Amino acid sequence: MRVLVAEDEARIASLVGKALEAAGFLVDLSGNGDEALSLAGTVSYDALVLDIMLPGRDGLSILRHLRALGNAVPILLLTARGGLNERVEGLNLGADDYLSKPFYVEELVARLHAIIRRRSGDTTGLLRAGDLLVNLITREVRRGEVRIELTAREFTLLTCLLRAPGRVFTRAQLCEHVWEYHHDPGTNLVDVYIQRLRRKLQDHGETPLIETVRGVGYRVAAP
Ligand code: CA
C-alpha cells in the first residue's frame, strides 16, 4: 500500500515515514501543499496523511480540492492541539479521520489501516483468492496451510491484484502502484516480480491465481 504524507516539520515527517515503512507501507513525503496536491492527483495512493499547516496550499485546501474533483482517496488529517474548528471543517469537507498533535505513530498506523479498510468495504482486513489468504493487518500470507514470506513490494503487488479481482492491470499501472517511478517500457521489472510471486505462491497449476493477459498485463481471476 502506498501513502503520501504531507508534513513540513522534518522531525515528524521522518518519524511518521519510518513508522509507516516499518508497517509495510510505501511512503512518499512532501513538505509543501502544492506539491502534495499535484502528487495526489497523479499517483494512485491508498491513503493520504495531510498536515493542516503547510507551506503553499494548506491541508484543508488539498482535501477540498481533491473531493471537488471526485477523488475519494482515504484522508487522515493532522491537526494542531485543540484545533476544534479545523477538525470539524475537515470532517465536513470529507476527511475520513484526524489525529491531533502530538500523537503516537502507532495510533496513526492503526487509524490509517482502519480508514483504508473502511473505504475498500473490507472490515475484516482479509483478502482471499482460492486457497490464498492475506491478512492486511498482520501481513501474514498463507496458501492452504503453508505460510509464505513476501517482501514489502511483493506484498504490495499481490494485494493490489487481490483488491480488484477480475480487473486487468497493465504493467504501467502496477509499476506506478508498487514502485516510486513511472513505468519505463524498457524494463521487465513487473514481470520479474510476478515470476517471483508465482514461485513463492507455488502458482503453477492449470488455473493459476495470477493470470497473464497476453499483450495487456496481469489479473487475479474473479471468484
Ligand atoms: Ca505543519
Side-chain angles (χ1 to χ4, degrees):
M1 284 180 286
R2 189 163 176 188
V3 175
L4 172 66
V5 177
E7 165 61 87
D8 58 313
E9 287 168 68
R11 190 183 57 86
I12 297 178
S14 158
L15 279 174
V16 167
K18 282 189 183 125
L20 289 175
E21 277 168 6
F25 289 94
L26 295 166
V27 183
D28 292 342
L29 294 175
S30 172
N32 179 283
D34 294 308
E35 182 193 61
L37 177 62
S38 146
L39 281 169
T42 49
V43 179
S44 101
Y45 290 107
D46 295 288
L48 310 182
V49 177
L50 302 179
D51 185 32
I52 290 195
M53 296 294 287
L54 287 170
R57 195 181 281 273
D58 71 24
L60 289 174
S61 166
I62 298 171
L63 167 66
R64 186 184 296 114
H65 207 83
L66 289 172
R67 294 303 188 239
L69 293 171
N71 188 328
V73 62
I75 292 177
L76 185 143
L77 292 175
L78 300 179
T79 68
R81 191 206 311 256
L84 175 65
N85 290 342
E86 55 194 23
R87 292 206 296 271
V88 170
E89 188 182 356
L91 293 172
N92 283 335
L93 287 172
D96 295 85
D97 203 354
Y98 64 82
L99 266 179
S100 299
K101 293 178 177 178
F103 55 85
Y104 291 101
V105 285
E106 294 84 353
E107 184 174 7
L108 175 72
V109 171
R111 282 176 184 255
L112 261 191
H113 274 305
I115 64 173
I116 292 169
R117 280 205 309 281
R118 223 190 295 151
R119 194 51 75 88
S120 66
D122 167 24
T123 52
T124 62
L126 298 176
L127 294 173
R128 288 173 210 275
D131 61 350
L132 179 72
L133 184 65
V134 175
N135 184 319
L136 295 170
I137 309 301
T138 62
R139 302 178 63 76
E140 190 175 84
V141 179
R142 286 185 176 274
R143 183 136 201 211
E145 295 301 305
V146 183
R147 183 166 176 171
I148 296 155
E149 298 293 335
L150 299 181
T151 65
R153 285 200 205 277
E154 291 163 355
F155 187 88
T156 303
L157 178 59
L158 178 62
T159 53
C160 176
L161 292 167
L162 285 175
R163 280 172 195 277
R167 173 178 161 189
V168 183
F169 288 87
T170 66
R171 289 172 178 79
Q173 286 167 334
L174 289 171
C175 202
E176 194 204 295
H177 191 84
V178 179
W179 284 271
E180 317 288 324
Y181 51 86
H182 286 283
H183 186 56
D184 171 359
T187 78
N188 62 347
L189 189 63
V190 172
D191 307 275
V192 168
Y193 269 75
I194 291 281
Q195 280 170 32
R196 279 192 210 166
L197 263 183
R198 283 176 169 156
R199 201 163 50 234
K200 287 192 176 181
L201 299 174
Q202 298 286 310
D203 195 20
H204 302 296
E206 284 205 351
T207 51
L209 287 174
I210 301 172
E211 297 175 7
T212 304
V213 180
R214 204 167 286 278
V216 188
Y218 297 99
R219 75 171 163 206
V220 165

